[in-house]
Amino acid sequence: MSITTPHQRKTRFIFITGGVVSSLGKGIAAASIGRLLVARGLTVGLQKFDPYINVDPGTMSPYQHGEVFVTEDGAETDLDLGHYERYTDSNTSRASNVTAGGIYDAVIRRERRGDYLGGTVQVVPHITDEIKQRINLLAQMHDVDIIITEIGGTVGDIESLPFLEAIRQFPVDVGRRDCMFIHLTLVPYIGHAGELKTKPTQHSVNELRRIGIQPDMLLCRSESELGHDIRKKIALFASLPVEAVVSAKDVDNIYKVPLWFASEGVDDLICDHFAIEAPPADLSEWAEITRRATEATDTVKIALVGKYVALQDAYLSVSEALRHAGFHHDVRIEIDWVDSESLDSDAAALQRLGQADGILIPGGFGGRGIEGKIRAARIAREQRIPYLGVCLGMQVAVMEFARHIAGMDGANSTEFDPETPYPVIDLLPEQKEITDLGGTMRLGVEPVKIHPETRARALYGEGLAYERHRHRFEVNIFLRKRLEAVGLIVGATTTDERLVEMIELDDHPFFVASQFHPEFKSRPERPAPLFRDFIGAALEQAGGHAPAPAAYRATRT
């Protein structure tokens, strides 16, 4: 099962597993290692294996799984792919997220076709071969120096066993020296005993070795840096040199993790393992970003109005895009997580939102809390508070405008009220016969035509952008002209000008919304334009020094 062709570079493979408990940060660890290797001039592909039976997270509740991250090619994936893209500044793809459901689905479909010629289909070799083939597929697609594969779940979980068995077999196919196993564990501090405990890590490593995998490096999560004696003890039980036991201490900013890993020599250990010669990591730009974040003194308060705010990971890319914009403006971002259902009256909404420097309504599905979001959009418009709407946030702004400016009493989306007299948000005619929920939306990157003499053009500085989508409902093409006639500005459309991609309002410090999801393409070094200028307007609202773009003011006067 060789992955090398005459036209392809030699690819090495890093497998990251987790032990002791979940939520230790394997995704951040994988992304940070990717950042280090990219900083050394290597090309990297990242991949996440999720052990759940769902084919993808697209139909899962955000409370179950956090946000659904959308790739350029339209895959609905695990939120860790967002970390991969933000840290390495490279795009993932459909091949970058694989679930147990997807693996079993592929194998069962082949069995139904008769591809196995009547043979018994088993976990080994059929499921494990399919898993290995997905690893190879990513290597062949991207032609990179190193593939980093994160195995979801925790060692010892029943559902993770086929994935662990597959990566145990993988070195047989490509060579042990071309594979590296990194295990992330926890070294807890027991307060009443006054000491760190290595036993959970020892048990986790033993479980991994029982499966047949000897880790080449341990990343040991702890509240503070591990001393030499603790590392030496762990190394002894794990049959590793002391330098391969890395202290992965807590940091106050997740973007500092690559810098800490560099100080621990993680990238040197990896290059030594693979016998790769590469220049030292250039992390100067990354260090500058974290320095600016640490030294920022001004604060901008953003009210994020959603219905999943009890689990902040449901809006992870949005909150990270806000942070990126904060890096750009040298400000700290304080997010006020507002449950839209709590805005049960105009007075409640005004009291909660009136003190914000900016109001943001992100994407979402379903009618719960929708009236609270409409109240929030109205307050932003009437109180002249900078407003950014994303996906559903744009639809909410259109509904509010239709009700209170265009005289369309009861205007709504047919998603929430199929009998609304003014369906300003509706399915396209060709979508109305679709019944399946999974994978049936506008998904992935599409070109966006940005109209001249609009704030949208000032934001992007060009007439064409490529942004990612995840939605079914659109601004009603039959009611659009009526909305425009009373002041709604369409700042961007699809290239055929049929569908609305951005709306904005004139005579407002900042009132812009997009049907697409700009947060998915935001980077720490390069914030998404909508988030960048939204925070600039919010900073001005707070009394800072970031006026609206001069180019926009010139076109509107």
Side-chain angles (χ1 to χ4, degrees):
M1 193 183 283
S2 173
I3 58 90
T4 303
T5 70
H7 304 291
Q8 197 171 26
R9 74 185 77 202
K10 182 176 183 179
T11 302
R12 280 85 165 189
F13 300 87
I14 296 174
F15 299 101
I16 298 180
T17 56
V20 185
V21 294
S22 60
S23 301
L24 286 181
K26 290 194 302 296
I28 297 292
S32 297
I33 290 170
R35 173 77 254 176
L36 286 180
L37 298 176
V38 167
R40 296 191 72 142
L42 300 172
T43 54
V44 175
L46 289 110
Q47 182 178 50
K48 172 75 179 288
F49 283 155
D50 278 309
Y52 49 73
I53 303 299
N54 305 68
V55 172
D56 63 45
T59 57
M60 295 172 68
S61 166
Y63 284 131
Q64 290 282 317
H65 194 264
E67 79 166 2
V68 173
F69 186 82
V70 177
T71 60
E72 291 277 287
D73 59 356
E76 296 175 289
T77 69
D78 184 81
L79 59 81
D80 278 333
L81 271 68
H83 292 311
Y84 302 164
E85 291 200 3
R86 288 187 285 271
Y87 278 63
T88 64
D89 195 17
S90 60
N91 293 329
T92 55
S93 69
R94 189 174 301 277
S96 301
N97 193 198
V98 179
T99 69
I103 295 292
Y104 278 90
D105 181 58
V107 171
I108 289 170
R109 280 189 284 111
R110 281 203 292 273
E111 186 273 333
R112 293 288 83 188
R113 289 197 305 263
D115 292 3
Y116 298 115
L117 303 177
T120 302
V121 180
Q122 299 176 290
V123 172
V124 181
H126 301 99
I127 296 297
T128 52
D129 279 355
E130 179 66 19
I131 293 169
K132 290 189 290 183
Q133 195 254 342
R134 300 297 181 97
I135 301 170
N136 282 329
L137 176 64
L138 188 69
Q140 292 161 359
M141 286 176 59
H142 294 280
D143 189 21
V144 294
D145 294 309
I146 294 177
I147 295 290
I148 301 173
T149 300
E150 174 193 348
I151 308 298
T154 304
V155 171
D157 294 344
I158 292 174
E159 57 266 32
S160 297
L161 286 175
F163 293 100
L164 295 171
E165 171 60 19
I167 66 172
R168 182 198 68 78
Q169 297 174 14
F170 202 80
V172 177
D173 300 322
V174 301
R176 181 63 178 91
R177 295 307 302 172
D178 289 333
C179 294
M180 184 174 188
F181 296 100
I182 298 178
H183 191 51
L184 180 68
T185 73
L186 177 68
V187 180
Y189 178 78
I190 307 301
H192 71 269
E195 61 182 358
L196 293 162
K197 290 296 184 180
T198 64
K199 193 65 71 177
T201 291
Q202 294 175 38
H203 286 315
S204 183
V205 171
N206 283 341
E207 178 65 16
L208 194 64
R209 293 163 74 177
R210 185 187 64 79
I211 293 169
I213 298 172
Q214 167 62 43
D216 299 299
M217 181 191 299
L218 295 181
L219 300 177
C220 299
R221 286 296 312 275
S222 59
E223 294 182 7
S224 57
E225 185 177 357
L226 299 181
H228 180 76
D229 289 344
I230 291 287
R231 297 191 203 210
K232 186 176 179 180
K233 182 178 181 181
I234 293 172
L236 178 65
F237 282 96
S239 302
L240 287 172
V242 175
E243 58 269 20
V245 177
V246 175
S247 174
K249 71 167 188 174
D250 292 350
V251 293
D252 59 0
N253 179 343
I254 60 171
Y255 293 106
K256 291 182 178 179
V257 175
L259 301 173
W260 178 255
F261 279 4
S263 71
E264 289 282 294
V266 169
D267 51 320
D268 290 331
L269 287 165
I270 292 170
C271 289
D272 288 347
H273 177 89
F274 291 129
I276 293 175
E277 293 186 7
D282 181 4
L283 293 168
S284 55
E285 186 176 12
W286 202 261
E288 175 64 14
I289 290 170
T290 60
R291 182 195 66 78
R292 294 172 68 177
T294 300
E295 296 179 1
T297 55
D298 292 334
T299 299
V300 168
K301 183 177 181 179
I302 301 299
L304 191 154
V305 183
K307 66 176 183 178
Y308 304 117
V309 294
L311 180 67
Q312 296 173 8
D313 273 358
Y315 303 108
L316 182 62
S317 289
V318 170
S319 61
E320 290 306 305
L322 288 171
R323 294 180 69 189
H324 302 164
F327 299 161
H328 178 81
H329 291 288
D330 292 325
V331 297
R332 297 178 183 270
I333 304 298
E334 176 189 340
I335 299 179
D336 181 13
W337 300 90
V338 180
D339 186 338
S340 58
E341 288 188 282
S342 71
L343 307 179
D344 54 359
S345 69
D346 292 343
L350 181 60
Q351 182 178 12
R352 186 74 188 269
L353 303 175
Q355 301 302 312
D357 302 315
I359 295 173
L360 189 154
I361 299 181
F365 297 91
R368 181 168 60 86
I370 199 68
E371 292 300 321
K373 295 177 183 180
I374 291 173
R375 288 189 181 94
R378 184 177 186 180
I379 286 169
R381 179 178 58 81
E382 294 182 343
Q383 301 294 321
R384 296 176 57 78
I385 301 171
Y387 176 86
L388 175 60
V390 174
C391 197
L392 178 60
M394 187 188 92
Q395 297 174 5
V396 162
V398 171
M399 289 186 278
E400 189 282 321
F401 185 89
R403 291 182 186 184
H404 303 116
I405 299 297
M408 300 180 183
D409 291 342
N412 212 322
S413 167
T414 54
E415 179 184 6
F416 314 129
D417 180 8
E419 304 302 322
T420 174
Y422 297 104
V424 290
I425 307 296
D426 197 8
L427 288 172
L428 294 176
E430 59 266 30
Q431 292 177 305
K432 292 189 177 183
E433 301 304 316
I434 296 174
T435 57
D436 287 350
L437 294 180
T440 58
M441 298 179 281
R442 282 180 68 195
L443 284 166
V445 71
E446 292 185 12
V448 176
K449 181 179 181 179
I450 303 173
H451 295 182
E453 298 188 355
T454 61
R455 187 187 289 271
R457 176 64 71 90
L459 288 168
Y460 280 90
E462 54 189 359
L464 190 67
Y466 291 85
E467 294 284 5
R468 300 182 195 177
H469 299 70
R470 184 179 184 248
H471 68 279
R472 284 189 190 85
F473 290 79
E474 309 278 354
V475 173
N476 193 322
I477 56 180
F478 302 110
L479 295 175
R480 170 182 161 186
K481 292 298 182 183
R482 182 169 172 179
L483 296 170
E484 289 181 286
V486 291
L488 187 73
I489 299 170
V490 174
T493 59
T494 50
T495 52
D496 60 5
E497 301 193 4
R498 184 185 182 209
L499 305 179
V500 174
E501 291 278 15
M502 293 178 68
I503 61 103
E504 58 190 65
L505 296 180
D506 208 350
D507 193 28
H508 192 285
F510 188 96
F511 196 104
V512 181
S514 68
Q515 186 60 75
F516 52 81
H517 288 265
E519 69 271 21
F520 291 145
K521 298 186 73 169
S522 186
R523 303 287 186 261
E525 316 97 311
R526 194 175 61 260
L530 271 76
F531 283 84
R532 180 198 65 212
D533 283 17
F534 169 60
I535 291 301
L539 179 58
E540 187 177 21
Q541 181 88 358
H545 306 285
Y552 170 73
R553 294 201 308 272
T555 60
R556 305 303 299 180
T557 56

